């Protein structure tokens, strides 16, 4: 299952496909006891997709068989043991993809000439993924992080391991010679290679970057420039050989402080926008402004969701049982804002209580 929505991956997902491009969305659960329910729901949604294919006169028989086979292959690749909060299956003639999302999605089956990507974009934006690079003289480890965890990533040439028969970093630390270890020419070459690989990774998968390690290691790595100059340094050693829990405990205070500072900045920007009469709130006003490209900054509470329907002129709150209800309007607004160059910031629940969970600073 895919998880990392890089710019190149999103561009590929958004390109037109031969009709039908099928998108199947379903909520999932990270842990038992609901995993059995997830499996049943997923099979039901794939069966619904096949029924739509069979009843669509615009889909020739051979193309329908192709897409149905792609759906079956995608279903077989789903690993609910590692499920997050949502799942998206994309299938078209000759291809399929399975995406895991760290954000819940509504149950939907859509046939079109493009895949439905707004939920992936919203989940990626809300999750605010980041990289952690843990540096030591003999190993450089890459971790991928999200709102509440990190996990080791084996991509971009990481982990990078220095293999020398006479190299003993533990002995160097025991005798107190660790700082001198980072003045060694072989170590310089090793960390220069790490910096090169990191720069390549950041070009294709840009994320906020945190670097952990002994101060001497951080200083040497940043001598090689590149993306390190924009990274947040966490001067704590031992994490290149550590566990995800150790890395998370090291970076969590830094992340919490950044979240607090960002929330305060958003509050100040929204208040200033009110005084300039460049403030917007309410799902209908925000939807109209997003479509017109007027939003410069969109602020959304992390778990804010609302179901609406279109009465022909405005969006209004949907009632239970409304057949034309749109459960994903927040994701639509987020993606529309990103497509028009707006900045989207997710803030803690309750931070936008006076704006009912979502507000914006307008360009004009």
């Amino acid at each position: 299952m895919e998880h990392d929505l890089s710019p190149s991956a999103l561009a590929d997902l958004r390109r037109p496909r031969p009709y039908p491009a099928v998108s199947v969305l379903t909520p999932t659960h990270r842990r038992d006891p609901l995993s059995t329910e997830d499996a049943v729901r997923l099979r039901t949604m794939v069966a619904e997709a096949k029924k739509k294919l069979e009843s669509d006169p615009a889909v020739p028989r051979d193309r329908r068989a192709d897409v149905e086979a792609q759906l079956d292959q995608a279903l077989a690749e789903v690993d609910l043991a590692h499920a997050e909060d949502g799942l998206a299956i994309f299938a078209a003639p000759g291809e399929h993809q399975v995406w895991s999302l760290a954000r819940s999605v509504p149950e939907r089956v859509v046939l079109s000439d493009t895949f439905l990507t707004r939920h992936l974009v919203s989940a990626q934006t809300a999750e605010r993924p980041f990289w952690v690079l843990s540096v030591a003289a003999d190993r450089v480890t890459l971790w991928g992080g999200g709102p509440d965890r990190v996990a080791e990533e084996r991509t971009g040439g990481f982990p990078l391991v220095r293999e020398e028969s006479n190299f003993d970093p533990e002995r160097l630390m025991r005798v107190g010679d660790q700082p001198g270890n980072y003045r060694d020419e072989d170590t310089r070459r090793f960390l220069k290679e790490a910096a090169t690989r990191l720069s390549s990774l950041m070009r294709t998968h840009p994320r906020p970057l945190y670097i952990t390690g002994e101060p001497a290691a951080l200083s040497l790595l940043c001598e090689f420039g590149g993306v390190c100059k924009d990274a947040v340094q966490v001067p704590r050693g031992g994490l290149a050989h550590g566990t995800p829990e150790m890395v998370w405990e090291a970076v969590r205070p830094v992340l919490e402080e950044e979240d607090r500072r960002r929330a305060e900045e958003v509050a100040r920007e929204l208040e200033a926008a009110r005084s300039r009469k460049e403030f917007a709130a309410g799902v209908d006003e925000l939807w109209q402004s997003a479509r017109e490209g007027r939003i410069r900054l969109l602020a959304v509470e992390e778990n804010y969701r609302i179901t609406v329907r279109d009465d022909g002129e405005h969006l209004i709150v949907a009632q239970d049982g409304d057949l034309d209800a749109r459960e994903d309007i927040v994701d639509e607004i987020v993606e529309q804002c990103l497509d028009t160059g707006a900045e989207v910031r997710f803030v803690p629940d309750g931070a936008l209580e006076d704006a009912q969970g979502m507000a914006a600073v307008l360009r004009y």
Side-chain angles (χ1 to χ4, degrees), residues 111-130:
L111 274 62
S112 183
D113 57 357
T114 58
F115 293 136
L116 185 63
T117 61
R118 69 174 66 104
H119 302 281
L120 272 70
V121 173
S122 181
Q124 186 85 351
T125 305
E127 188 179 23
R128 289 172 288 172
F130 57 88

Side-chain angles (χ1 to χ4, degrees), residues 10 15 47 64 86 103 110 150 192 280 319 345:
L10 179 59
R15 65 177 173 83
R64 182 182 73 223
R103 187 172 173 88
V110 177
V150 298
K192 184 176 182 179
Q319 304 298 317
R345 299 189 198 175

Side-chain angles (χ1 to χ4, degrees), residues 51-111:
K51 287 182 180 179
K52 284 196 171 186
L53 287 169
E54 292 172 0
S55 61
D56 191 336
V59 183
R61 179 179 300 178
D62 58 342
R63 187 168 294 181
R64 182 182 73 223
D66 184 348
V67 176
E68 288 179 346
Q70 297 294 333
L71 286 169
D72 288 337
Q73 292 179 46
L75 185 60
E77 293 173 9
V78 172
D79 182 6
L80 290 176
H82 296 91
E84 297 178 279
D85 301 309
L87 192 72
I89 289 178
F90 300 129
E95 63 171 322
H96 66 273
Q97 297 186 39
V98 180
W99 286 81
S100 176
L101 288 75
R103 187 172 173 88
S104 186
V105 297
E107 291 185 349
R108 291 193 69 183
V109 174
V110 177
L111 274 62

